[in-house]
Amino acid sequence: MALPKSTEPPLPLSPTHCYTLIPCDQHEEGGVVLPFYRHPTTQDCRRWPMIIAIIFLLLLSTLVYVFWPSDPTVKVVRLRLNKIHIHTLPIINIDISLYVSLKVRNVDVYSMDFRSLDVAVKYRGKRLGHVRSDHGHVRALGSSYVHAGVDFSGISVLSDVVSLLDDLARGTVPFDTVTEVSGRLGLLFFGFPMKAKLFCAVLVNINNQTIVRQTCYPER
């Protein structure tokens, strides 16, 4: 005789009947737990933004260093005594004629057009006179020479006359030059105003008309 079937629906199984969690501190005998390992491609992808940022900063620093405007350098390449004339009447005074050659060097990647170049010549702190050049052009990373003659007359201060005669007797005369350059640095359609002032202490050998020693530094 067959047993009657139950008409009640079967109870649903709970998740605990389907699987059982294995605690972390319990391992089956002979089992191996492998550590989590990131794929090398994932690590490289995370490093790329930092590498790109470092390269960008290096390139930006290089561009700023190259294109940042700098003052030109001016050097006295020749300072020649053309003529010295001593007057004894009515008072003792000296006339001096000098020939000055300057080298203007442009250290920028821009071309340089200077509107004026003024060179003042001093002897033992006393200004004798100055010479001025109105206009000039120096190409990028290039050099240009400026030549000028200047006459100083009437050096009549007794201490200056005695010192100059003593220097002439020794064969070397110290001069100071103050060079002021003003103009414009330009690249294509861009331009920057430029102004520089340079002081040089020059020792001239009057026997062979050469510069024995020269020390230059910018004045602010």
Side-chain angles (χ1 to χ4, degrees):
M1 182 176 179
L3 296 176
K5 294 183 179 181
S6 176
T7 58
E8 295 180 359
L11 295 174
L13 296 176
S14 63
T16 57
H17 291 83
C18 299
Y19 60 88
T20 302
L21 295 175
I22 300 177
C24 296
D25 56 350
Q26 295 181 6
H27 307 293
E28 295 184 1
E29 186 177 356
V32 179
V33 178
L34 297 177
F36 178 73
Y37 180 72
R38 295 181 183 271
H39 196 274
T41 305
T42 306
Q43 295 181 354
D44 293 341
C45 291
R46 293 188 175 184
R47 291 174 183 171
W48 269 113
M50 183 179 296
I51 295 175
I52 293 175
I54 293 174
I55 294 175
F56 175 76
L57 291 176
L58 290 175
L59 289 176
L60 182 62
S61 302
T62 303
L63 290 176
V64 170
Y65 176 78
V66 171
F67 288 97
W68 190 265
S70 302
D71 292 336
T73 60
V74 182
K75 183 179 180 181
V76 181
V77 294
R78 192 167 188 182
L79 187 60
R80 188 178 70 229
L81 290 171
N82 286 336
K83 181 181 66 175
I84 298 178
H85 186 72
I86 301 175
H87 303 275
T88 57
L89 295 175
I91 59 174
I92 298 178
N93 60 74
I94 299 177
D95 296 338
I96 300 177
S97 175
L98 293 176
Y99 179 82
V100 183
S101 295
L102 300 174
K103 180 181 180 181
V104 183
R105 184 169 179 263
N106 181 14
V107 296
D108 288 316
V109 295
Y110 314 101
S111 62
M112 182 181 72
D113 292 297
F114 58 87
R115 294 187 302 270
S116 66
L117 189 149
D118 188 280
V119 182
V121 181
K122 299 180 180 180
Y123 173 74
R124 297 192 178 275
K126 180 181 178 181
R127 178 165 172 157
L128 303 178
H130 71 98
V131 60
R132 184 181 181 91
S133 178
D134 292 331
H135 184 269
H137 175 80
V138 185
R139 69 179 187 276
L141 302 175
S143 302
S144 179
Y145 291 87
V146 178
H147 309 281
V150 57
D151 296 324
F152 311 123
S153 59
I155 304 176
S156 58
V157 179
L158 183 59
S159 59
D160 295 335
V161 172
V162 174
S163 298
L164 182 57
L165 293 176
D166 186 51
D167 290 334
L168 292 173
R170 288 201 302 263
T172 56
V173 180
F175 289 102
D176 298 329
T177 63
V178 180
T179 306
E180 296 185 52
V181 185
S182 62
R184 178 180 176 274
L185 295 170
L187 179 65
L188 298 178
F189 302 104
F190 301 97
F192 308 93
M194 176 269 302
K195 190 172 184 179
K197 190 175 183 179
L198 188 73
F199 173 87
C200 291
V202 185
L203 184 64
V204 181
N205 187 321
I206 63 171
N207 295 321
N208 54 16
Q209 300 292 342
T210 59
I211 295 177
V212 179
R213 185 175 63 251
Q214 181 175 187
T215 304
C216 299
Y217 57 88
E219 282 194 347
R220 299 298 180 185

